Amino acid sequence: MDLVLRARRAIVDGAERSCTVWVEAGRIAAVGPFDADMPAERTVDLGDDVVLLPGLVDTHVHVNDPGRADWEGFPTATAAAAAGGVTTLVDMPLNSIPPTVDLPALEAKRDAARGRVHVDVGFWGGAVPGKLGELPALHEAGVFGFKCFLLHSGVDEFPPLSDGELAEALRTVARLDSQLIVHAEDAAVIDAATAPSGRDYQAFLRSRPPQAERTAIGRVIELAGRAAARAHILHLSDAGALPLLERAGAAITVETCPHYLSFTAEEVPDGATQFKCCPPIREAANREALWRGLGAGVIDTVVTDHSPCTPELKRFDTGDFRTAWGGVAGLQVGLPAVWTGARARGFTLADVVRWMASRPAELAGMRHKGRIIPGFDADFCVFAPDEAFVVDVARLAHRNPVSAYHGRPLAGVVRSTWLRGEEITGDRPAGKLLRRGEC
């Protein structure tokens, strides 16, 4: 064997136990008892204070490269991912230029990433007006599914779908046996709401009412049912939509994000635009209901929606929520943020692994990621769950020193991250570019 890892604590196939993991040619060859003996080129005995987790799978990351690499680029994004225990990410089709809505744009993405990534990277395609005919070719080229918006995306080059176009996209993904992932906020509801104004966070919150999510989610459920298509609701913020999603069944899956599980509207200071995201961070009671939705299995996954930008775009000079870019940078701290909230509510590391590793991999169609079982990639996160730290943006690896988590105490430190049996050190980008059906 190439490598043996011995762990007093590990999350193996959904449960915590001690084990020995054998690695050969970048894959897990076997998992056995802690005291099992087999010669290997290298043996690593993990300390009693750490837990061996499968590498996390983050299916919602905005890398923005090419075109807006000053916001974030593949080297910095994947370094931040590795520092946070994430070994696989799937890049969103915006806010890069060009957006990933046809084959030339996908190739531009791959060219920008090739040889520059520290973790494995896959790509979502985009479903936008005038480009729905490109979906089959993108599917054949290996994207993991298609993202769409139902209202303005924030960038003009990625426009929203009308109801008719949404129905067409769903019919297409059903024929392809793919999936449509949806930013589900209703434009008409938001247009009718009070416009955001200046530094007042509560005014911004009123400008993105919960009904915008419920209306859009209801429409996705209805049209996906007609098309017999798989749809996935992105970054759920409104816990009031959970009954709709529970009734929808397995064809509609849903994610939420660490910032919705960590922060509350009551604690966001006026002018603190680092907290601006769409849909918004809502009240404390809503946060607790999201945790209950996770516990009940209505919410499938927790992914970061890492959506960074330059400090200037956050408008810290004015603190104006109306003009600041909306997005939370949290790729590196997603695991400790979720673990901090999870253990306070009686959840276990096995729960966190399900939400942040195995289930995201399953939903993306990755057959060898997100679990510690034979045949899977030897991707690991060595995590010290009882060690605490305070987030300092100056020590985060993503490109710009902006994050809502700055100054927040969190539990859990990533000691090391391994990709296909090799520890990620940052010296040599060894990540692969993934294609649907090949991972």
Side-chain angles (χ1 to χ4, degrees), residues 150 184-186 189 208-222 233 236-245 247 279 282-283 286:
L150 304 184
E185 288 183 285
D186 184 79
V189 172
R208 315 290 292 214
Q211 191 58 46
E213 289 189 76
R214 294 174 211 176
T215 299
I217 289 169
R219 188 156 70 254
V220 172
I221 291 170
E222 178 186 358
I233 304 300
L236 182 72
S237 161
D238 170 37
L242 289 171
L244 279 173
L245 291 159
R247 291 193 296 270
R282 302 193 188 277
E283 297 83 357
N286 182 85

Side-chain angles (χ1 to χ4, degrees), residues 110-199:
R110 287 177 170 157
D111 287 344
R114 193 169 287 112
R116 303 173 70 223
V117 295
H118 297 280
V119 302
D120 287 353
V121 176
F123 302 95
W124 296 108
V128 299
K131 290 284 191 176
L132 296 183
E134 304 288 339
L135 303 190
L138 285 167
H139 178 74
E140 288 303 311
V143 300
F144 287 83
F146 303 94
K147 180 176 185 176
C148 72
F149 277 75
L150 304 184
L151 78 172
H152 194 278
S153 67
V155 291
D156 292 337
E157 66 271 11
F158 202 95
L161 298 181
S162 67
D163 281 1
E165 291 160 338
L166 174 62
E168 180 184 348
L170 286 163
R171 290 192 295 268
T172 300
V173 300
R175 289 196 302 271
L176 297 172
D177 192 24
S178 184
Q179 61 183 315
L180 193 68
I181 63 174
V182 185
H183 183 124
E185 288 183 285
D186 184 79
V189 172
I190 289 175
D191 288 345
T194 304
S197 175
R199 299 170 56 85

